[in-house]
Each structure stands twice: as C-alpha cells, then as structure tokens.
Amino acid sequence: MIIALASNKGGVGKTTTTINIAASLADYGRKVLLIDFDPQGALSAATGVNANDATTIYDLMMDSKLEIKDAIQNTDNPNMDVVPANI
C-alpha cells in the first residue's frame, strides 16, 4: 500500500501527520519507507537522519546510475527507513 501526503500550502501538518502515521504503522510491525521530497528536510531531521552526508532524493532524480537502495537510511525504529532530502 502507498500512502502519500501532499499539499502546496505550508504549515498544514504534512510532516507531522506523515511521521505519526509512519511511526504507528512501524510500531504495529509494518515495514515503512518514508520518502522526503521537501527541500527543508524536516522529515529526514525528525527521523534522526543526517541528510547532509547522505544520498538524497535529489541525487536519485539527477543521477540515473543511482538506485533507491543507495539512498535508504535506517532510523532508530527497525521497521522504518527514510530516503532523505536537504536543501
């Protein structure tokens, strides 16, 4: 199943909602992959991933030689991973 949260408007709780849904599903035992498309990288930061030293979603889109597995970062929750973003 894919769940996507998107809105052009800022400050509507997209990141907060995404983290809470993901954490709930991961705690329930589901495997969750978060993909952060926000250049502010708030989702990446909230999951404890240092996106400054990681392959990001931008890198994946710009370099066709990279694969998504090159960008997946583990979080403290064994059931939740993230593809980070940064400015």
Side-chain angles (χ1 to χ4, degrees), residues 8-71:
N8 288 336
K9 172 128 178 36
V12 296
K14 297 179 296 287
T15 300
T16 302
T17 302
T18 299
I19 290 169
N20 285 316
I21 290 172
S24 295
L25 289 170
D27 287 346
Y28 186 70
R30 303 289 186 181
K31 294 296 242 175
V32 177
L33 176 62
L34 297 165
I35 301 178
D36 191 355
F37 270 95
D38 185 355
Q40 292 180 6
L43 182 64
S44 302
T47 58
V49 171
N50 181 357
N52 294 326
D53 299 327
T55 301
T56 66
I57 191 67
Y58 175 81
D59 298 320
L60 289 176
M61 292 189 299
M62 298 306 291
D63 187 348
S64 62
K65 295 178 208 137
L66 291 174
E67 297 181 22
I68 192 153
K69 67 180 179 178
D70 299 324

